[in-house]
């Protein structure tokens, strides 16, 4: 069984993952020596209990990775939107101040022109 999901990466990219969820079942022999293990309950009952748990944990991990990726993407988007809003506010403030200064200058010119006319 394979689980395909997205994974959260710090760099801002969210690649998809494909991971195998089955664990190795065959015993590992060291230097040609066959090791025997005794299980209580027997091996079949242990595998019957553990394999569904393993699958559910792998699916849960994939779901958590997906949610973490989504939240990371939302955080990055909100950060970009905040920076862009700050840039827009700065440009609008500059435009407002220039327009206000132009109106003040125009009024001063009108006052000076009226004083010279007298």
């Amino acid at each position: 069984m394979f689980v395909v999901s997205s994974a959260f990466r710090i760099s801002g990219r969210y690649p998809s993952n494909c991971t195998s969820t089955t664990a190795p079942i065959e015993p590992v022999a060291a230097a040609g020596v066959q090791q025997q293990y005794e299980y209580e309950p027997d091996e079949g009952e242990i595998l019957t209990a553990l394999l569904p748990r393993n699958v559910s944990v792998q699916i849960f991990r994939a779901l958590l990775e997906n949610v973490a990726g989504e939240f990371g993407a939302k955080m990055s988007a909100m950060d970009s939107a905040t920076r862009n809003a700050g840039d827009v506010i700065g440009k609008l403030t500059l435009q407002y101040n220039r327009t206000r200064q132009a109106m003040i200058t125009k009024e001063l010119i009108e006052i000076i022109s009226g004083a010279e006319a007298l």
Side-chain angles (χ1 to χ4, degrees):
M1 181 172 139
F2 290 94
V3 175
V4 178
S5 66
S6 62
F8 175 66
R9 300 280 186 241
I10 299 298
S11 65
R13 297 184 180 136
Y14 306 100
S16 60
N17 283 343
C18 182
T19 56
S20 175
T21 60
T22 57
I25 299 174
E26 299 175 12
V28 178
V33 177
Q34 201 51 277
Q35 296 179 352
Q36 293 292 327
Y37 297 101
E38 292 185 23
Y39 297 100
E40 189 174 311
D42 67 346
E43 296 171 2
E45 289 181 38
I46 291 174
L47 287 177
T48 303
L50 289 183
L51 286 180
R53 281 190 185 176
N54 183 19
V55 170
S56 65
V57 166
Q58 294 296 327
I59 292 172
F60 184 65
R61 183 193 61 79
L63 291 173
L64 289 179
E65 285 284 338
N66 191 23
V67 169
E70 180 184 352
F71 286 152
K74 284 181 180 180
M75 232 172 35
S76 296
M78 290 303 293
D79 185 48
S80 295
T82 301
R83 272 192 253 120
N84 290 341
D87 292 344
V88 168
I89 288 172
K91 289 176 184 176
L92 288 175
T93 301
L94 184 64
Q95 181 181 2
Y96 171 76
N97 287 338
R98 284 184 179 166
T99 304
R100 185 175 58 87
Q101 187 65 37
M103 290 176 60
I104 292 171
T105 304
K106 180 181 172 188
E107 286 182 18
L108 284 175
I109 290 173
E110 287 176 356
I111 291 172
I112 292 172
S113 297
E116 287 179 0
L118 289 177

